[in-house]
Amino acid sequence: MSTKEKIQEELQVDTLEKHLNEIVLYNDDVNTFDHVINTLIYACDHTPEQAEQCSILVHYKGQCTVKTGEYKDLEPRCTMLLDAGLSAEII
């Protein structure tokens, strides 16, 4: 095995070993679509279109994954969602 192949293989293993978490947003009967959309834009760096699509999915499906990444990146984002009165958790 050449050195180049070995390094590439090590990079692929490192990439696979990183465990990604998700922020799941849940439906509620309290918050308006506008509030949810604006909060997703602010807290999760969504585009207006992404935020609108997620809010529709949450409304009709009951939940939606709104952000995927490493826990340390998701924790402050989930806190912002919770502070805004939304129902969310990191899984």
Side-chain angles (χ1 to χ4, degrees):
M1 178 182 289
S2 73
T3 304
K4 185 177 180 180
E5 289 173 346
K6 185 175 181 180
I7 291 171
Q8 184 176 6
E9 184 176 305
E10 288 173 4
L11 288 174
Q12 289 173 348
V13 169
D14 286 344
T15 303
L16 291 175
E17 288 179 353
K18 287 186 179 179
H19 179 69
L20 297 180
N21 296 94
E22 300 175 343
I23 297 177
V24 178
L25 182 65
Y26 297 99
N27 190 35
D28 62 44
D29 295 327
V30 178
N31 293 293
T32 65
F33 276 95
D34 285 339
H35 178 65
V36 174
I37 290 167
N38 290 332
T39 304
L40 288 173
I41 291 169
Y42 170 73
C44 296
D45 296 325
H46 280 204
T47 64
E49 294 81 12
Q50 281 178 300
E52 183 179 3
Q53 289 173 350
C54 285
S55 67
I56 291 169
L57 284 170
V58 167
H59 180 73
Y60 286 107
K61 300 281 187 176
Q63 67 183 46
C64 176
T65 297
V66 294
K67 195 75 171 177
T68 302
E70 294 184 34
Y71 188 87
K72 66 181 180 178
D73 177 51
L74 298 182
E75 186 178 25
R77 295 176 187 275
C78 189
T79 300
M80 284 188 263
L81 295 173
L82 295 172
D83 288 346
L86 303 182
S87 299
E89 71 175 336
I90 299 174
I91 58 169

